[in-house]
Amino acid sequence: MFTRSNIFVFNVWMLAVALTAVVVDAAVPANDECESALELVPSDTAEVTGSTIDATVDGINICGENLVTSPGVWYSYQQSSDSVIHVSTCTNQTNFDTALTVYTGDCSSLQCVDGRDDDLECGSDEHSTVSWQAVAGQQYYVLVHGSEANYTGDFGLVVTASEPLTVTSSFIQSWHRYWMVFSSFAILVGMHCG
């Protein structure tokens, strides 16, 4: 026989089932997994927007200064020439404490390139910037995630490329000349002090 308390319990149970169905059917971002990473293209003016809300935790270990314990989304990057790549969440679109982690290899065996958290030059310790020297033709993966467990939100991502860092022969010759002067000075000081 149905009593008011039975009907109430049944309604609460139905509500719990309905809420569970809503949670299960949450819109997971399209680039939630490494294998579905979205391609990044460097630009001084373009900003990629995204969100880690409803993403899953990737369970990757420490890379650079980051321990990945919060949900993240993936981007891929491949440069046609050697260059320095800068990826940053220093935008007005970013509304949570982000971290950026860069890998190379393939999604089944990622290798750490670098990971960065706070970029105080952005005017906030909630934004992140990571830079690395990219090798032409090498595939890189950028994981945008929270800096702490369960930190999620919306973000803007800016990607730029600059000339690769090089050491020229004139730099090496100058360094060698200064080293010779310094070492000669150190020997003279040592002779007079010793």
Side-chain angles (χ1 to χ4, degrees):
M1 176 136 120
F2 291 106
T3 64
R4 277 195 161 135
S5 72
N6 286 348
I7 293 173
F8 176 76
V9 170
F10 178 74
N11 286 338
V12 168
W13 180 79
M14 289 299 291
L15 179 63
V17 168
L19 290 176
T20 302
V22 169
V23 171
V24 170
D25 291 333
V28 175
N31 55 339
D32 185 51
E33 300 292 331
C34 178
E35 292 81 2
S36 57
L38 300 177
E39 185 179 354
L40 290 174
V41 178
S43 170
D44 291 329
T45 58
E47 179 180 319
V48 175
T49 58
S51 179
T52 61
I53 297 171
D54 297 325
T56 58
V57 177
D58 294 281
I60 298 175
N61 292 327
I62 293 174
C63 178
E65 63 185 37
N66 295 336
L67 174 61
V68 182
T69 60
S70 62
V73 291
W74 291 89
Y75 293 88
S76 65
Y77 184 81
Q78 189 172 30
Q79 183 68 15
S80 59
S81 61
D82 291 354
S83 58
V84 177
I85 307 304
H86 311 276
V87 177
S88 179
T89 60
C90 295
T91 71
N92 292 331
Q93 299 296 323
T94 303
N95 65 9
F96 73 109
D97 195 352
T98 62
L100 295 168
T101 309
V102 180
Y103 301 93
T104 190
D106 62 53
C107 291
S108 63
S109 60
L110 294 170
Q111 299 165 0
C112 174
V113 173
D114 200 2
R116 293 284 171 236
D117 187 359
D118 300 334
D119 182 352
L120 299 179
E121 292 181 20
C122 293
S124 168
D125 64 355
E126 293 191 348
H127 298 97
S128 306
T129 300
V130 64
S131 300
W132 74 96
Q133 182 123 0
V135 176
Q138 181 71 44
Q139 184 72 44
Y140 296 94
Y141 294 94
V142 178
L143 177 62
V144 180
H145 56 98
S147 65
E148 301 281 335
N150 300 318
Y151 281 15
T152 62
D154 300 321
F155 61 87
L157 199 61
V158 177
V159 182
T160 58
S162 59
E163 291 296 316
L165 303 173
T166 59
V167 178
T168 64
S169 61
S170 62
F171 172 80
I172 293 171
Q173 290 170 353
S174 297
W175 179 83
H176 185 261
R177 186 172 38 250
Y178 289 119
W179 177 250
M180 295 303 289
V181 170
F182 174 76
S183 61
S184 298
F185 176 74
I187 291 170
L188 289 173
V189 169
M191 289 172 46
H192 291 315
C193 293

